[in-house]
Amino acid sequence: MRITRCAGKLCKTVFLGLCAIITICPLLFLLSGSFMDSLELSELIAPVIQGKEGMAGWHWIPRYPTLQNIIELLLDSPEFYKMFWNSVKITGTILIGQLVFAMPSAWGLARYEFPGKKQIYFLYIILMMLPFQVTMLSEYLVLDKIQLLNSQWSVILPGIFSTFSVFLMYRFFAGIPEEVLEAARMDGANEWQVFCHIGVPLGYAGIISAMVLQFLECWNQIERPMAFLKQKELWSLALYLPEISTEKAGFAMAAAFVALLPALFVFLYGQDYLERGITATVQK
Amino acid sequence: MKSKKGILFILPGLSGVMVFYLIPFLDVAVRSFQKIDGKFCGFDNYQKVLENKAFHLAVENTIYFVLVCLPLLLVLSLLAAVILQRTGSLGKLCKSAYLIPLAVPAAGVVLLWKLIFDNHGMLNQLLLWLGQNTVDYMNTNASFYVLVFSYIWKNLGYTVVLWSAGLSVIPENIYEAAWVDGAGKLRTFLSITLPNLKQTAFTIVVISFLNSFKVFREAYLVAGNYPQQSIYMLQHLFNNWFRELDMDKMAAAAVLLFLVILIFVYMLHRSWEEEH
């Protein structure tokens, strides 16, 4: 009896551990590759990249750790800075835009009854679920008409009005008890004040969740910038990374690692909110 | 509260949604019944799409992909979520590890995938060591499984969190009652846990289905615009038609895909409404 219980526990631990190793291994891979010198790297990956004889391998701890790649990236590659800054600009503007537009939308849908409300909510859910490929052509046509193609606004504006954040904040705003709002109205607060002084602070968790999820989404997005940005100077980091040739594998990995850092930081800092945000889709 | 004031709150956001999504999509829907020069042509475009060979291939591959991935993802993540259910800080650490792929850019994993799955890669090295034949995962039908792996890797954590949420609302006293009655672990899982997860399962299926479209990033970065046949997905097709500006076909295909997704979302919406 005890043996089977031990074996069961072991199986569970192995399963959980194996999953964890697989999910974090790309992170460790980028980390170790960033600190490898070019000789060691090419020795390891040449069979795959250049079709040389032998088999590829990997050292999870570099044999001769070096800062060469990181230094080249930070001191000697203006392109990387440009793309990094582009990503910051695009992602930052989208998030601010969502605070301005999505937050009141979510509040209006969650706390008021008015004709057409149900239909609008349903419309928002459909839009949030549509993959980019379905709306690609329509977005292209409208951006072409207002002459925003090939400018960063072609990525920013559709991003701002993506309805996922509205849905997420709606779920949190809807959970605030009506009595609290009534009490504020009795004290003479108008609807805007109720929203700013009660809705926003009490729905804080939902707002942060939406921001965390949207940050990860925007920071790594590839499809929309690839479709709408022709000029390379406008590109975001996620689009630029695959462009780095595999000849400079160490540099490419260092670039990918640095590009990952902001997302990782947001992830670690906002993990609880991230989980609550994901959870909001299945719970009341 | 019953008040038209709500409209004022949603108006700015709603107008943006109208301008960038709703009106242009209606425009596309109209165009799907027109030739490029704007003449009405009935269902011609739809017929062209439905008879298109690339479209057939893409639809078949996409459906097959979803049918393979969804059950695999659902079972693996449920298993992890159930094991994690009553664990403390170690469980939390595991969950963090599972969620990390959400933060990793696609470009960062592509090189690793190549290193693992290439003909001279690490997986084949393992196979050789075990005395098996090597498989060229990138250039044969096996590339399909590389994509399946990518999808599971990316979505495992997300789905584990969703299952955990579903598990956490099952009242503890049902379990206690079952244990008092002498039910074993498997028995409680089958007759308490599973039935109580029906609602969650449905939501997860729909969300995972829609997330499966995002696997295009990895597929595209690994294999480009025209990948190996078995991973030529609907997303590749849309992307290629877009680059060639095949407006008429693309409009019709967008409407078709929209209708399929609409059905799924409608069912999901209904199930959410019933919950309230």
Side-chain angles (χ1 to χ4, degrees), chain A residues 12 15-17 19-20 22-27 29-30 44-45 47-49 52 54-58 60 101 104-105 107-109 111-115 118 120-131 133-143 146 157-159 161-163 167 171 178 182 185 191-192 195 213 216-217 220-224 226-228 238 241-242 246 249 253 256 260 263-264 267 271-272 274-275 278-279 281-284, chain B residues 1-7 9-10 12-17 19-22 24-25 27-28 31 76 79-80 83-84 92 94-109 111-116 118-122 124-125 128 134 149 153-154 156 158 161-162 164-166 168-169 185 200 203-204 206-207 210 213-214 216-217 220-221 234-235 238-239 242 245 247 250-251 254 257-258 261-262 265-266 268-269 272-273 275-276:
Chain A
K12 285 178 187 171
F15 175 75
L16 292 181
C19 289
I22 290 173
T23 46
I24 60 171
C25 99
L27 193 67
F29 172 73
L30 289 177
L44 291 171
I45 65 174
V48 170
I49 304 297
K52 288 217 178 110
M55 297 304 258
W58 194 250
W60 294 98
F101 291 100
S105 295
W107 181 254
L109 283 173
R111 307 305 321 194
Y112 298 94
E113 296 295 333
F114 50 87
K118 278 212 164 117
I120 292 173
Y121 181 60
F122 185 55
L123 171 76
Y124 276 27
I125 291 181
I126 298 173
L127 287 177
M128 135 185 146
M129 297 290 196
L130 287 182
Q133 284 80 17
V134 174
T135 57
M136 175 157 59
L137 179 62
S138 44
E139 284 178 39
Y140 175 82
L141 291 172
V142 69
L143 291 167
I146 52 180
L157 286 172
F161 296 108
S162 99
T163 54
F167 169 79
R171 288 251 155 168
E178 183 68 31
E182 277 311 319
R185 285 188 190 113
E191 295 308 310
W192 181 252
F195 167 58
L213 276 162
L216 297 177
E217 175 67 30
N220 289 329
Q221 70 173 336
I222 287 181
E223 292 91 339
R224 197 174 272 141
M226 187 164 78
F228 300 147
L241 287 176
T246 41
M253 292 173 80
L260 164 81
L264 197 64
F267 171 82
Q271 201 202 334
D272 284 336
L274 181 75
E275 278 184 38
I278 296 171
T279 306
T281 42
V282 286
Q283 272 176 3
K284 278 165 253 186
Chain B
M1 187 180 150
K2 258 197 175 23
S3 162
K4 297 237 161 88
K5 277 182 190 147
I7 297 178
F9 279 102
I10 66 164
L14 186 62
S15 29
V17 170
V19 171
F20 287 100
Y21 291 106
L22 192 61
F25 192 78
D27 180 38
V28 164
R31 275 168 197 259
L76 282 178
L79 200 60
I83 300 176
L84 284 172
K92 206 164 156 42
C94 272
K95 249 191 227 170
S96 314
Y98 300 163
L99 282 170
I100 279 193
L102 288 180
V104 178
V109 299
L111 184 64
L112 178 61
W113 279 192
K114 280 188 185 152
L115 219 54
I116 293 176
D118 189 87
N119 211 5
H120 297 276
M122 294 194 259
N124 275 326
Q125 204 167 12
L128 278 178
T134 60
F149 177 77
W153 171 78
K154 185 101 196 167
L156 183 73
Y158 197 95
V161 172
L162 289 174
S164 300
S168 69
V169 290
K185 271 191 178 161
T200 316
T203 308
I204 293 179
V206 176
I207 289 178
L210 296 163
F213 281 90
K214 288 193 184 145
F216 175 66
R217 282 180 197 173
Y220 177 78
L221 293 178
L234 272 174
Q235 298 93 302
F238 272 88
N239 214 43
F242 179 75
L245 284 176
M247 297 273 194
M250 204 171 158
L257 191 53
F258 169 79
I261 287 167
L262 181 66
V265 176
Y266 182 69
L268 182 64
H269 186 65
W272 278 345
E273 293 278 285
E275 203 182 337
H276 287 289

Side-chain angles (χ1 to χ4, degrees), chain B residues 134-149:
Chain B
T134 60
V135 183
D136 187 355
Y137 291 96
M138 286 305 188
N139 304 308
T140 62
N141 286 342
S143 56
F144 181 79
Y145 293 99
V146 177
L147 210 56
V148 170
F149 177 77

